[in-house]
Amino acid sequence: MVWRARIGGEWVYVYILLEFQSRPDKWMALRMQVYVGLLYQDLLAQHKLSKYGKLPPVLPIVLYHGRRAWRAASAS
């Protein structure tokens, strides 16, 4: 998902990266970092930086809906 907001008279784009999980994955944090890195590489290749030459913020979110407790690393 891509959202945009007007901040200080300029449009700022925020990328929301959603991942749905039905099983715990101890490497989920690494996988999300890979997704963000691949997105940034693609934006660089397409010359889609901000007018100041910056990459957009990315908000990665994992939505877990499994039966077992999530035991992998999480931000608390």
Side-chain angles (χ1 to χ4, degrees):
M1 254 193 275
V2 179
W3 288 22
R4 71 178 187 167
R6 195 169 199 103
I7 299 175
E10 179 183 349
W11 286 108
V12 175
Y13 290 86
V14 177
Y15 288 75
I16 299 174
L17 175 62
L18 294 175
E19 174 75 12
F20 297 91
Q21 282 293 118
S22 60
R23 292 183 309 229
D25 180 354
K26 72 177 187 175
W27 298 107
M28 180 52 58
L30 175 62
R31 202 159 93 201
M32 294 302 278
Q33 287 181 327
V34 169
Y35 293 160
V36 172
L38 290 171
L39 171 64
Y40 281 164
Q41 284 182 325
D42 188 55
L43 291 172
L44 286 170
Q46 294 183 42
H47 306 287
K48 299 227 176 174
L49 303 177
S50 74
K51 81 176 183 184
Y52 300 108
K54 299 199 180 228
L55 290 164
V58 175
L59 176 61
I61 299 171
V62 176
L63 299 172
Y64 175 65
H65 58 89
R67 292 189 175 163
R68 294 184 304 171
W70 182 267
R71 301 242 187 260
S74 64
S76 310

